[in-house]
Amino acid sequence: MTVKNYFPANQNALVNVQSGLARKVAAYSDNVMCVEVHFEAGTVAALHSHPHEQITYVISGKFEFKVGEETYVVSAGDSLYKQPDILHGATCLEAGTLLDIFTPHREDFV
């Protein structure tokens, strides 16, 4: 991959993933990826797993996350860590935005 150091917001499209859920890939390289995720209230991100490490930072809104066997209610300023292959998902309780960081980058997102 050619190294890219600047990712202008106006060049990264917001992509509808499902009803009430959209994402915008921000900066990324082979080893790391930053993704902005927008939720409408009531939207459910189904339980899933992937081989990537993931950190989620809550920019705004309120969410109920299931990570492994634990459930967390999170809001602005909170963050979560998801180790590779752990089952996780979320329900948006109040419309909001998350910032997800993945390592390595999600090839399926670009």
Side-chain angles (χ1 to χ4, degrees), residues 13-24 38 40:
L14 193 60
V15 176
N16 287 319
V17 177
Q18 67 181 57
S19 179
L21 175 61
R23 73 173 166 241
K24 180 192 284 194
H38 300 262
E40 293 178 11

Side-chain angles (χ1 to χ4, degrees), residues 2 24 28-29 40 43 45 47 61-63 65 77 79 81 84 89 91 95 100 109:
T2 302
K24 180 192 284 194
Y28 66 94
S29 71
E40 293 178 11
T43 301
L47 288 171
K62 188 174 183 180
F63 299 83
F65 270 87
S79 57
Y81 169 72
T91 299
D100 281 334
F109 285 13

Side-chain angles (χ1 to χ4, degrees), residues 71-82:
T71 300
Y72 307 95
V73 175
V74 298
S75 56
D78 293 335
S79 57
L80 300 138
Y81 169 72
K82 297 153 206 145

Side-chain angles (χ1 to χ4, degrees), residues 56-61 63 65 74-80 97-99:
T56 297
Y57 178 80
V58 182
I59 296 173
S60 64
F63 299 83
F65 270 87
V74 298
S75 56
D78 293 335
S79 57
L80 300 138
T97 303
L98 305 174
L99 188 65

Side-chain angles (χ1 to χ4, degrees), residues 18-96:
Q18 67 181 57
S19 179
L21 175 61
R23 73 173 166 241
K24 180 192 284 194
V25 173
Y28 66 94
S29 71
D30 286 341
N31 297 324
V32 67
M33 171 180 269
C34 181
V35 181
E36 187 178 302
V37 188
H38 300 262
F39 282 80
E40 293 178 11
T43 301
V44 175
L47 288 171
H48 64 284
S49 64
H50 45 74
H52 312 82
E53 285 184 271
Q54 179 180 351
I55 291 176
T56 297
Y57 178 80
V58 182
I59 296 173
S60 64
K62 188 174 183 180
F63 299 83
E64 181 179 274
F65 270 87
K66 173 87 170 164
V67 181
E69 298 299 318
E70 300 293 327
T71 300
Y72 307 95
V73 175
V74 298
S75 56
D78 293 335
S79 57
L80 300 138
Y81 169 72
K82 297 153 206 145
Q83 61 265 44
D85 301 314
I86 194 165
L87 195 61
H88 61 281
T91 299
C92 181
L93 304 175
E94 296 175 9

